[in-house]
Structure formats: structure tokens, C-alpha cells
């Protein structure tokens, strides 16, 4: 690609793919993260842009109780 992406302010366990900009991983903490900065740098010029994103809200993980299927849920 002609750019790389970096991020700061993501919760622990999440990273950003430098090649695609996709946020990946499994968050290790819950909460609201409001000051996430994404920086995109061109690999062919000196151009770059930084944007502040958010909020990113991370909730508790969903759980499944197999016993619930016995109750018709």
C-alpha cells in the first residue's frame, strides 16, 4: 500500500493494522475511550494526516449459558 496507519489511545488488546487501518484484537478492558488518534502517513510522499476518533465503547463480553437452551431460550 501507499500508506501506513498508526493509532494511540486504543484499549489494551486492540491494535491497528499498519497496512489496512483495521482495528483488530480482543479488548482487555471495558470502558469508553474518547481520545483515539489515528495517523496516516504516505509511504511515497511526506504527507500525513492525524484525526481524533471516538468514543469507542467496549462493553463486557457476551456469554452463553448452554442451560438456557433447555429452557427454550
Amino acid at each position: 500500500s501507499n500508506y501506513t496507519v498508526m493509532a494511540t489511545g486504543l484499549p489494551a488488546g486492540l491494535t491497528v493494522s499498519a497496512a489496512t487501518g483495521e482495528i483488530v484484537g480482543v479488548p482487555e478492558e471495558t470502558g469508553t475511550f474518547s481520545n483515539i488518534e489515528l495517523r496516516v502517513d504516505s509511504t511515497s510522499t511526506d504527507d500525513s494526516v492525524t484525526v481524533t476518533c471516538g468514543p469507542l465503547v467496549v462493553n463486557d463480553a457476551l456469554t452463553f449459558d448452554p442451560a438456557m437452551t433447555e429452557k427454550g431460550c
Side-chain angles (χ1 to χ4, degrees), residues 22-60:
E22 180 181 17
I23 296 173
V24 296
V26 177
E28 298 172 5
E29 56 188 310
T30 60
T32 301
F33 303 86
S34 298
N35 293 312
I36 300 167
E37 288 193 355
L38 297 175
R39 179 182 169 111
V40 180
D41 291 321
S42 171
T43 57
S44 58
T45 68
D46 290 336
D47 295 331
S48 68
V49 64
T50 301
V51 295
T52 301
C53 304
L56 171 65
V57 178
V58 178
N59 296 313
D60 289 329

Side-chain angles (χ1 to χ4, degrees), residues 5-10 14-17 21 23 36-40:
V5 182
M6 296 174 282
T8 59
L10 290 171
L14 295 181
T15 59
V16 65
S17 166
I23 296 173
I36 300 167
E37 288 193 355
L38 297 175
R39 179 182 169 111
V40 180

Side-chain angles (χ1 to χ4, degrees), residues 65-73:
D65 182 355
M68 292 301 290
T69 58
E70 297 170 7
K71 298 178 182 176
C73 293

